[in-house]
Amino acid sequence: MEVIAQIVLQNLNSFAQEEFGIIWNLKDDVQQMKRTVSAIKAVLLDAEGKTNNLQNSNWLEELKDVLYDADDLLNDISSEAMKRKVIGARKILRKIQVFFSQENQIVYSFKLGHQMKAIQKRLDAIAKNKITLQLTDRPMETPIAYRRQRQTYSFVREDDVIGRKEEKKLLESYLLDTKVSLIDNVSVLAIVGFGGLGKTTLAQLVFNDNAVQCSFEQKMWVCVSDEFDISKIAEKMIGNDKNSEIEQLQQDLRNKVRGKKFLLVLDDVWNEDRELWLKLKSLVVEGGKGSAIIVTTRSRTVAKIMATHPPLFLKGLDLERSWKLFSRVAFDEGKEPNDMELLAKGRDIVKKCAGIDQHKDNIFSILKLSYDHLPSFLKKCFAYCSLFPKDFVFHKKTLIQLWVAEGFIQPSQDNRCEEDVGHEYFMNLLSMSLFQNVTLDDCGDILTCKMHDLIHDLAQLVVGKEYAFVEGKKEHIENRTRYLSSCTSLHFSEKTSSSSNKLRTFILLGQPLYGRQNLGPPPSHQFPFLLSIKCLRVLTLCGLHLITIPNSIRELKQLRYLDLSMNKFLVSLPPDVTSLHNLQTLKLSRCGKLKELPSDINKGLRHLELNDCGELRCMPCGLGQLTNLQTLTHFILDSKSKNGDISELSGLNNLRGKLVIKWLDSLRENAAVVESANILLEKQHLQDLELRWVLGETEYWTDPIEISRTQEKNTWVKDENQMKDEKILKGLQPHHSIKRLVIDGYRGNSLPDWIANLSSLLSLEISNCYCLKSIPDGIRNLVSLQRLCICNCSMLEGRCARGHGEEWSKIAHIPLVIVSAFNPTDLRYIN
């Protein structure tokens, strides 16, 4: 709730003169709404602490509803101001068009003004009711202080524990290693995992082991939980509950451990403040050699701050051990019953729990601690994951784009872009073990992750009525539902439509991209409904065999994220897409029949994805004006023109991630211009660059010997194209921070000297470069290079042969070198 209230206040504070010109007296209305929302926000903490009271719960639901409506209206006003600014700048309308446009603007302004008054009236009623409910002001604090403190202790019977023998053995090998000798005498071991996995149980097992007990003079167990209070921790270590002053405590603690080999368990640590940890650590560094601290935590950040050894990331028990644990708890004396139906249900529960140590009744209370510990803006991002099915593969980049589109990202004080802040949010959730099964891309960055089934259950538990994930046939959508996703083809009835007109998100998950069956296109009568939801910010319609997109898409003024990927019959987008002035992300990957994009796309666009658009032959006019663009997966030069224009890329210096430039041979007539332009040199955020000529796209199966014969017959053409390609490649020097580079279909004899400047390069792939005779000497200096792939480059195959080739000494330092003639199983990266 705090997040929504804060977003409304931010929108009110950001209104400029353009917005104030939309509605008469808007400035006064904005000030009144700011005062009312601020007054309500001040009592939110008190209200949320009394949700067991039905009146308070209803008050919060009504407040949430009106805040969403207020946010939608304020965004509508901003969109209208932006639209009028754009129309005014074009100055191409005929007089009669201007007349009717102005008339419509007056009517629309009146409508917005009426809605503003209506929302203020609702807010006033809610503000009045807070007095009736006796809600009091409380400063917004982390809810940690209001939670019941968790308590743990050191004892556990080993016979009561199932599994964890390997993990116990690993930890004991560190603790009992006589060779351990650190400068400060104390080693720190961290056990990391989400709630309920058995971190505390494992620490208890190790703590109570006979060999461990005999190896340490002092043994101490402290349950730290939420507050990392040095005084309280010191009191527990000393066994002093006299509330002594910190000066006395630090002296007593240092005296207790000085010169003695001790073992300390700090259980359930949440503190991510490095300074606090260093202050506590400084009090125990005088312990004897071989002293050790075991830390249990859900946070990878805590482990990174505290641990002196690689952390132990705890995983769930296997199915056999999980079933043994479940049987002990669920069945009399742990014996399986003869009831086959009961056994089947039990096995389903075990599979769902996936190795969690805790009893079913305790799981969610334990897991919810992780959620409660999150700041409000991260709670919103976490809850959003409930829109996706279990075992869903989240693409980090896509998830962040969705968070940005929904307005979940708070403005940063250091002027970072929202995507960078979103990355920080993602890493925080990962650090808290709320994501798992991470995969990396070729540049070493996180590509995908998953969510444990129980964590997914937790996300669905905390979201309330505003989120809905529909798996079966469900006609009715709650009136307060704002975020809707489905893995079935929804058919909106009149009743459903009327309750769904406030949706902000509609995601259809029924395409192969998400591991679901292809649903086919939605019924034709569904489009008018979908395109009439004026508050939509996110619309995903992938893999539906769509042929056209209605012009009425222009009515989605709030739309920020549009995903039409995998619509393989989609030929073009309507020109009205350019009217979506708030659009940030447009995804068209695997639209195989797409031939063109509309000109003059919204200048605020940040992400344009065009992977596997095989029939797209050129880029739209005006692309170079999209200076906010961060993602441009492909830049496609006009393959039918001998005068390709790559200058549209020159101003796009915010591009990041991956960029593929195709049909570079069309630049040959302008090779000298390209050579001097240095179009890519300033793009410091790009990490992955593919430079492709037409040969690499269309002549994979051509025999190199036949090509050599053709070149002998056309010596003049060969030499001219070689020189032109060498000029083109020289002018396409990337920033030195590039991590992956692909050169495909290049006709030059040599690579440019700038290759030696790519100090961060991890992977270099050279393919279909039949005329290439040598590798630059400077490649010896690329100490970061981990992988070199030379594929279907006939003149280099022998020269780069392992051990004896003339060029081998230049590349011998690279850990992985692949040199081969092209065949279908070779590693290639063609999108």
Side-chain angles (χ1 to χ4, degrees), residues 597-779:
L597 297 172
S599 300
D600 299 320
I601 297 176
N602 163 36
K603 293 180 181 178
L605 195 70
R606 300 181 187 181
H607 308 282
L608 179 58
E609 298 187 6
L610 300 168
N611 295 307
D612 293 317
C613 294
E615 295 196 14
L616 189 62
R617 285 293 181 265
C618 63
M619 304 310 289
C621 294
L623 185 73
Q625 299 178 42
L626 307 185
T627 53
N628 292 315
L629 208 58
Q630 296 178 23
T631 303
L632 178 63
T633 60
H634 285 67
F635 185 89
I636 302 170
L637 292 153
D638 190 345
S639 60
K640 296 181 180 179
S641 170
K642 293 184 178 180
N643 297 289
D645 185 10
I646 201 172
S647 62
E648 292 270 29
L649 275 176
S650 59
L652 307 183
N653 288 333
N654 286 316
L655 288 179
R656 54 181 63 192
K658 181 177 180 178
L659 171 64
V660 179
I661 306 178
K662 292 174 67 173
W663 314 115
L664 283 167
D665 45 294
S666 68
L667 297 177
R668 284 173 179 154
E669 296 302 316
N670 295 320
V673 175
V674 177
E675 180 183 21
S676 60
N678 287 324
I679 288 169
L680 302 177
L681 194 55
E682 300 301 317
K683 295 173 177 39
Q684 59 181 316
H685 303 297
L686 267 184
Q687 291 193 311
D688 191 334
L689 177 64
E690 296 188 6
L691 303 174
R692 297 191 179 276
W693 278 255
V694 67
L695 175 62
E697 298 291 331
T698 61
E699 298 182 16
Y700 299 139
W701 299 100
T702 305
D703 185 350
I705 297 176
E706 184 61 33
I707 288 179
S708 298
R709 290 173 181 167
T710 303
Q711 289 174 345
E712 287 173 6
K713 295 177 183 177
N714 300 281
T715 304
W716 180 83
V717 175
K718 176 195 71 173
D719 291 343
E720 185 179 26
N721 284 341
Q722 282 178 355
M723 290 187 291
K724 289 179 178 179
D725 279 9
E726 287 170 2
K727 288 182 178 180
I728 291 170
L729 189 55
K730 184 178 179 182
L732 294 179
Q733 177 180 354
H735 192 270
H736 63 79
S737 60
I738 203 81
K739 292 183 177 179
R740 177 174 176 263
L741 176 63
V742 175
I743 301 171
D744 186 30
Y746 170 67
R747 297 291 184 99
N749 280 335
S750 61
L751 295 175
D753 292 337
W754 54 252
I755 294 284
N757 299 328
L758 305 182
S759 55
S760 300
L761 196 65
L762 299 174
S763 175
L764 175 60
E765 299 170 32
I766 306 166
S767 57
N768 300 305
C769 299
Y770 300 112
C771 302
L772 192 59
K773 296 179 179 179
S774 64
I775 300 293
D777 286 338
I779 202 169

Side-chain angles (χ1 to χ4, degrees), residues 31-44:
Q31 292 302 320
Q32 183 182 357
M33 189 173 288
K34 280 167 63 175
R35 288 192 295 270
T36 308
V37 173
S38 297
I40 293 171
K41 183 171 177 279
V43 303
L44 278 180

Side-chain angles (χ1 to χ4, degrees), residues 576-589:
D576 295 270
V577 167
T578 62
S579 299
L580 302 174
H581 300 302
N582 283 304
L583 192 64
Q584 300 168 346
T585 300
L586 177 59
K587 300 194 173 197
L588 298 165
S589 292

Side-chain angles (χ1 to χ4, degrees), residues 772-789:
L772 192 59
K773 296 179 179 179
S774 64
I775 300 293
D777 286 338
I779 202 169
R780 302 174 193 269
N781 302 324
L782 301 184
V783 294
S784 296
L785 191 58
Q786 299 295 307
R787 180 178 183 273
L788 172 64
C789 180

Side-chain angles (χ1 to χ4, degrees), residues 72 482 501-505 533-537 558:
D72 289 335
R482 304 281 176 162
N501 59 8
K502 293 183 178 180
L503 284 177
R504 292 179 162 214
T505 295
I533 307 176
K534 302 296 177 64
C535 300
L536 266 184
R537 299 182 179 204
Q558 303 300 330

Side-chain angles (χ1 to χ4, degrees), residues 306-402:
M306 299 178 69
T308 59
H309 293 273
L312 171 59
F313 293 104
L314 208 58
K315 297 180 180 179
L317 298 174
D318 59 34
L319 284 177
E320 182 182 348
R321 290 190 176 102
S322 296
W323 176 249
K324 187 176 180 181
L325 176 62
F326 177 82
S327 298
R328 176 184 290 180
V329 175
F331 306 134
D332 291 340
E333 298 180 0
K335 295 180 180 178
E336 296 183 13
N338 294 324
D339 188 330
M340 299 306 293
E341 184 178 351
L342 185 60
L343 284 173
K345 289 181 179 178
R347 292 195 182 277
D348 284 342
I349 292 172
V350 168
K351 187 176 180 180
K352 177 180 180 181
C353 291
I356 301 298
D357 279 357
Q358 299 295 325
H359 300 171
K360 183 175 182 292
D361 293 340
N362 296 332
I363 289 174
F364 285 113
S365 61
I366 292 171
L367 291 177
K368 195 170 182 296
L369 288 174
S370 293
Y371 175 78
D372 291 340
H373 195 271
L374 297 175
S376 55
F377 53 87
L378 281 185
K379 287 180 178 177
K380 197 78 175 171
C381 295
F382 172 72
Y384 197 80
C385 298
S386 68
L387 287 174
F388 302 89
K390 289 182 177 178
D391 207 36
F392 183 77
V393 177
F394 292 96
H395 284 255
K396 185 197 77 171
K397 187 175 180 179
T398 296
L399 193 57
I400 292 171
Q401 290 168 353
L402 288 167

